Amino acid sequence: MTTRPQEAIRLVLQISEREHGERLDKLIASRVTGMSRSFVQQMMKQGEILVNGEPCKPAQRVRYGDRLEVYLPPVAPPSDLEPEYLPIPVIYEDDDIIVFDKPPGIVTHPAPGHEHGTLVNALKAIRPDLQVQPSHRPGIVHRLDKDTSGLLVVAKTEPARLALLEQWHSRSVVKKYTALVHGVVEPDSGTIDAPISRDPRERTKMAVVPWGRPAITHFRVIERFRCATLLDVTIETGRTHQIRVHCAFIGHSVVGDQQYGGDRPFCVPVPRQFLHARYLRFTLPSTGQTIELETPLPYDLRHVLEAIRQCEREGVPCSNRA
């Protein structure tokens, strides 16, 4: 019989209808950030994962309504991440979470080629005593691309991180973005429902592929120009590069996105991809209260819009009219 340390954290997961039939170790690794399949399998051997109160095996298939119990080990002390003071505004903080308004050009957490200057390095500088998993990216429950600005939530405690992860997985979090895309988007609103996975021809990119994971993006037109359209975008899922991939898929790549839009010319200079995470609505882990947070477009993107409107008024030819 397994003897668990008192500090072990108990995580309870309920299997949804769309998860019915998935392999158990793969499912847990996908739902709990920072857990690899090999680590999940090791936990199963040690009796730290139960299905409906019973021991389980990695290849076991889950059923709709199954109740999983995962007993996570005590939080490890912080890793040797280097603290760095960076100009990243904090727009909300309580005992459980901290919400940043991430500027463009900053990576969320360290990765090969980006060992320094990340949001996690900044977090280590301003909150050095945090002990939350995973130790190499403490408290991170979602990410923003390097050149995407906007709201990013970080957990300050391990129970808060697990509660937030469950909200993100269950799609109960409302996530809205502002995006400027090439060409004139004709419908006033629409939905892109197309699965996304790693691009089989170029592994550094994502792509819409039949075998991909479900990905759903809703959009609404805010303003149309002769060569571009300003969109309000809401995502149900949170796949890597989802908005950028979906917009390119329908022929309206995000302005300034060189990875998915190529070197597509534009009528005014654009400093980076025009994508801003402007709004979040979720539940605070300890109180259950719903919180809504919003941040306006940063100066660099407002400047782009002002320049486009000036071109429209002056009748400057559009170099990439769709």
Side-chain angles (χ1 to χ4, degrees):
M1 183 176 179
T2 301
T3 302
R4 299 187 181 96
Q6 291 185 351
E7 299 87 357
I9 298 169
R10 178 172 173 264
L11 173 63
V12 178
L13 306 174
Q14 201 78 23
I15 300 303
S16 65
E17 188 172 1
R18 61 189 173 85
E19 293 170 329
H20 179 86
E22 288 195 28
R23 180 171 160 135
L24 182 58
D25 58 350
K26 183 179 179 182
L27 174 85
I28 294 175
S30 68
R31 287 188 64 168
V32 184
T33 301
M35 291 182 67
S36 66
R37 287 177 68 176
S38 60
F39 182 65
V40 170
Q41 292 166 5
Q42 181 183 351
M43 290 184 66
M44 289 178 179
K45 290 179 182 178
Q46 297 172 348
E48 303 293 348
I49 298 177
L50 305 176
V51 177
N52 301 323
E54 299 293 333
C56 53
K57 295 182 178 180
Q60 185 171 326
R61 300 286 173 172
V62 298
R63 295 174 297 178
Y64 172 48
D66 278 349
R67 185 171 180 270
L68 311 186
E69 294 174 74
V70 182
Y71 290 87
L72 297 168
V75 177
S79 68
D80 58 354
L81 286 168
E82 181 180 343
E84 298 178 60
Y85 289 94
L86 301 172
I88 306 178
V90 174
I91 68 165
Y92 176 85
E93 184 174 10
D94 60 25
D95 291 339
D96 294 314
I97 67 170
I98 182 167
V99 183
F100 293 96
D101 188 358
K102 188 186 86 65
I106 293 179
V107 175
T108 301
H109 57 74
H114 298 285
E115 289 79 9
H116 303 285
T118 74
L119 183 138
V120 164
N121 293 109
L123 178 66
K124 184 74 179 293
I126 64 173
R127 302 293 180 270
D129 297 329
L130 288 187
Q131 292 193 3
V132 59
Q133 296 284 32
S135 59
H136 63 291
R137 47 183 181 183
I140 299 298
V141 296
H142 68 123
R143 292 176 291 180
L144 293 178
D145 297 337
K146 177 182 177 182
D147 288 328
T148 298
S149 54
L151 299 175
L152 195 145
V153 183
V154 177
K156 296 171 64 177
T157 69
E158 187 63 6
R161 184 181 78 92
L162 297 175
L164 290 171
L165 281 173
E166 190 62 21
Q167 290 186 58
W168 254 260
H169 178 80
S170 66
R171 304 182 186 177
S172 61
V173 180
V174 179
K175 299 163 284 187
K176 296 184 179 182
Y177 294 70
T178 301
L180 183 71
V181 299
H182 286 282
V184 179
V185 178
E186 290 299 340
D188 290 336
S189 62
T191 296
I192 308 166
D193 186 348
I196 291 175
S197 187
R198 188 71 57 185
D199 190 328
R201 296 167 298 181
E202 194 170 346
R203 302 300 294 174
T204 59
K205 297 174 64 174
M206 308 300 287
V208 170
V209 290
W211 59 85
R213 300 177 69 188
I216 300 173
T217 301
H218 307 285
F219 65 86
R220 178 180 60 84
V221 172
I222 300 173
E223 187 175 0
R224 291 186 179 94
F225 306 101
R226 286 177 297 159
C227 57
T229 306
L230 189 65
L231 299 177
D232 181 50
V233 180
T234 303
I235 56 174
E236 285 191 27
T237 49
R239 307 302 174 214
T240 302
H241 302 170
Q242 177 173 321
I243 295 175
R244 298 162 60 195
V245 171
H246 270 173
C247 287
F249 177 68
I250 64 171
H252 296 284
S253 59
V254 173
V255 170
D257 185 356
Q258 296 189 356
Q259 187 172 21
Y260 294 101
D263 226 357
R264 197 167 177 178
F266 197 61
C267 51
V268 300
V270 183
R272 46 115 172 175
Q273 62 199 29
F274 198 118
L275 188 59
H276 178 66
R278 71 170 183 85
Y279 174 93
L280 281 175
R281 187 178 74 207
F282 59 97
T283 301
L284 294 175
S286 59
T287 66
Q289 176 187 354
T290 297
I291 185 171
E292 294 182 90
L293 298 170
E294 191 160 7
T295 180
L297 276 178
Y299 171 78
D300 62 340
L301 300 187
R302 293 201 308 270
H303 182 72
V304 170
L305 286 181
E306 291 168 3
I308 295 174
R309 291 172 182 138
Q310 182 68 23
C311 287
E312 296 272 311
R313 289 192 293 269
E314 297 176 356
V316 175
C318 183
S319 59
N320 69 325
R321 183 179 297 182

